[in-house]
Amino acid sequence: MINKDKISVVFVCLGNICRSPTAHGVFRELVERSGLAHRIEIDSAGTAAYHVGNSPDHRSAAAALQRGYDLSDLRARQAIVADFGHYDYILAMDVQNLENLQSICPTNYAGYLGLFLELADLEEREVPDPYYGGSSGFDHVLDLVEAASEALLKRITQELS
Ligand code: 4NP
């Protein structure tokens, strides 16, 4: 494997206000603690445009803050074709969003486009959408995202020279 100087990652859900900003904030904290923040670029986006410019959902932000993750600087944006020219990892939260991304993915994209949870050894393949549910859904998102973030960091660390 050819090792790289820098690796970039974008997490993608539907609205970019619940799941992907949670992954963005959790993975950012893990990367900062590992001392690799200068070598790993992190972003998040949504396949839909409903919430562009908005802060994370207050329920996601509160659940994340309870575990020490500050999402307050994050703002929603929509995923665009140019993301394929920039990011080494494009990680979808569920199959629907992965299919949306696959439908706009250039045929020569050489990075990794897949489900975030498939990088980890978990029972679940998808991070369930917590938007219309109760507060336990937001904690479940955090549990899954924390586990998968550990696996992602392990994988990326091996790719960095
Ligand atoms: P997210 O959650 O994709 O995890 O950000 C959602 C946010 C908003 C909506 C659906 C899911 N919505 O329908 O507005």
Side-chain angles (χ1 to χ4, degrees):
M1 189 190 341
I2 300 165
N3 285 333
K4 298 184 163 211
D5 290 338
K6 263 197 117 179
I7 287 183
S8 53
V9 179
V10 61
F11 299 101
V12 183
C13 60
L14 180 65
N16 192 208
I17 55 166
C18 298
R19 292 165 291 175
S20 61
T22 300
H24 187 156
V26 168
F27 190 61
R28 174 170 68 180
E29 180 64 26
L30 202 60
V31 165
E32 274 168 18
R33 280 192 228 140
S34 74
L36 288 170
H38 59 301
R39 311 218 23 217
I40 303 175
E41 183 189 338
I42 307 163
D43 198 6
S44 59
T47 56
Y50 323 127
H51 298 283
V52 169
N54 291 356
S55 298
D57 185 284
H58 64 94
R59 298 163 297 173
S60 291
L65 204 53
Q66 282 257 329
R67 297 194 194 188
Y69 309 109
D70 182 3
L71 310 185
S72 61
D73 60 309
L74 304 180
R75 296 293 178 272
R77 73 167 179 91
Q78 191 169 22
I80 52 171
V81 174
D83 289 327
F84 292 94
H86 186 85
Y87 292 97
D88 300 301
Y89 283 87
I90 300 182
L91 299 173
M93 297 294 140
D94 61 29
V95 171
Q96 170 90 66
N97 287 296
L98 177 59
E99 286 175 356
N100 287 341
L101 290 164
Q102 284 165 337
S103 74
I104 60 163
C105 180
T107 50
N108 64 350
Y109 178 59
Y112 182 101
L113 170 62
L115 290 174
F116 180 34
L117 297 192
E118 281 191 338
L119 298 178
D121 191 16
L122 297 169
E123 302 264 304
E124 284 156 271
R125 288 180 74 221
E126 303 184 282
V127 182
D129 183 350
Y131 192 70
Y132 293 107
S135 64
S136 67
F138 293 87
D139 276 316
H140 186 50
V141 168
L142 276 159
D143 292 340
L144 295 170
V145 161
E146 283 181 331
S149 292
E150 297 266 3
L152 176 62
L153 182 58
K154 214 176 261 179
R155 182 183 168 117
I156 287 181
T157 303
Q158 288 170 351
E159 287 178 61
L160 290 169
S161 47

